[in-house]
Amino acid sequence: DTAVSQTPKYLVTQMGNDKSIKCEQNLGHDTMYWYKQDSKKFLKIMFSYNNKELIINETVPNRFSPKSPDKAHLNLHINSLELGDSAVYFCASSQVEGKKAFFGQGTRLTVV
Amino acid sequence: AQSVTQLDSHVSVSEGTPVLLRCNYSSSYSPSLFWYVQHPNKGLQLLLKYTSAATLVKGINGFEAEFKKSETSFHLTKPSAHMSDAAEYFCVVSVSEYGNKLVFGAGTILRVKS
């Protein structure tokens, strides 16, 4: 069974569009994250949700908004996509005590 | 196939003594290798990365790692541990062919005793 799953795996879209990436975890974890991997392979944290409360927001443009309908889901919505948004986005989850984080397989977003 | 093995799930050191966190990897291609640290209730922070340049990589907070191809290792070291180093550390391999595939080790929890 997949612990952290995100869809779609690949997403190609035009500038100006609005898109969403879904993430679900079946581990019963309390904290979920979204990371952006840039062209140099750095993972940069974007958001962290703990019991539906945003606890970290690392200077991400407000075009990006996380939506958590329940503890098992943290979806990433992106409005007015720009070329610079092209990257791989990773979802992750961990227990609230900050133990090991489990990562999804990544979503490669390409904005054309 | 790619894999990462962190040889110790827990490491305990005294403050001021050296730190060694071990990592071995397997990869069919030239890998990029990373070490990340995660403090409680925080996201992952990149410590350092290796991308086929110098084999000895220096990172933040006094950490460094040496890429040894013959041993397929990428161990993380620090000459002198500080209390603030207590956290969980992840060794990560990224295979350039796939780009979006990161393989994480199981993590090593570092405890620093005063």
Side-chain angles (χ1 to χ4, degrees):
Chain A
D1 288 342
T2 303
V4 180
S5 61
Q6 48 184 115
T7 55
K9 188 174 181 180
Y10 298 95
L11 180 57
V12 180
T13 188
Q14 291 184 332
M15 286 174 53
N17 285 348
D18 304 335
K19 290 294 180 184
S20 297
I21 306 173
K22 296 183 178 180
C23 179
E24 177 182 4
Q25 55 97 3
N26 62 8
L27 299 165
H29 287 166
D30 290 320
T31 306
M32 294 184 71
Y33 309 85
W34 274 105
Y35 291 85
K36 179 180 180 181
Q37 184 186 34
D38 63 21
S39 58
K40 297 182 179 180
K41 306 278 179 69
F42 291 148
L43 269 182
K44 298 180 180 178
I45 189 167
M46 300 177 70
F47 302 104
S48 174
Y49 255 78
N50 185 341
N51 293 328
K52 297 190 179 183
E53 291 184 330
L54 181 66
I55 58 175
I56 299 175
N57 183 338
E58 297 288 329
T59 64
V60 174
N62 58 15
R63 297 182 295 104
F64 291 80
S65 58
K67 305 289 186 192
S68 182
D70 54 57
K71 197 173 81 167
H73 296 83
L74 183 65
N75 303 325
L76 181 65
H77 297 271
I78 315 170
N79 296 323
S80 302
L81 278 156
E82 300 177 358
L83 292 177
D85 298 332
S86 296
V88 181
Y89 294 83
F90 287 90
C91 176
S93 73
S94 70
Q95 292 181 7
V96 68
E97 293 81 11
K99 297 298 183 182
K100 173 183 174 180
F102 291 78
F103 281 74
Q105 79 278 20
T107 296
R108 178 176 288 279
L109 171 65
T110 303
V111 182
V112 298
Chain B
Q2 301 74 239
S3 68
V4 178
T5 303
Q6 292 183 241
L7 299 167
D8 306 293
S9 60
H10 294 80
V11 170
S12 183
V13 301
S14 297
E15 192 174 19
T17 63
V19 176
L20 170 63
L21 305 182
R22 298 182 294 168
C23 173
N24 286 101
Y25 71 93
S26 67
S27 175
S28 303
Y29 304 92
S30 298
S32 294
L33 293 159
F34 309 81
W35 275 99
Y36 284 87
V37 60
Q38 184 174 30
H39 290 91
N41 288 330
K42 298 286 182 65
L44 287 174
Q45 180 184 20
L46 179 69
L47 281 178
L48 49 80
K49 69 164 185 172
Y50 165 79
T51 53
S52 73
T55 56
L56 182 62
V57 183
K58 294 187 183 299
I60 63 172
N61 301 334
F63 284 94
E64 62 181 35
E66 186 172 6
F67 173 71
K68 292 186 176 180
K69 187 176 181 179
S70 60
E71 299 176 7
T72 59
S73 69
F74 191 57
H75 301 332
L76 182 70
T77 60
K78 183 174 180 177
S80 176
H82 191 273
M83 295 297 290
S84 61
D85 294 329
E88 188 162 17
Y89 292 79
F90 294 92
C91 182
V92 181
V93 61
S94 173
V95 180
S96 60
E97 178 179 357
Y98 299 97
N100 62 335
K101 182 167 179 140
L102 294 180
V103 179
F104 280 73
T108 299
I109 295 175
L110 175 65
R111 293 194 176 95
V112 181
K113 300 175 290 186
S114 58

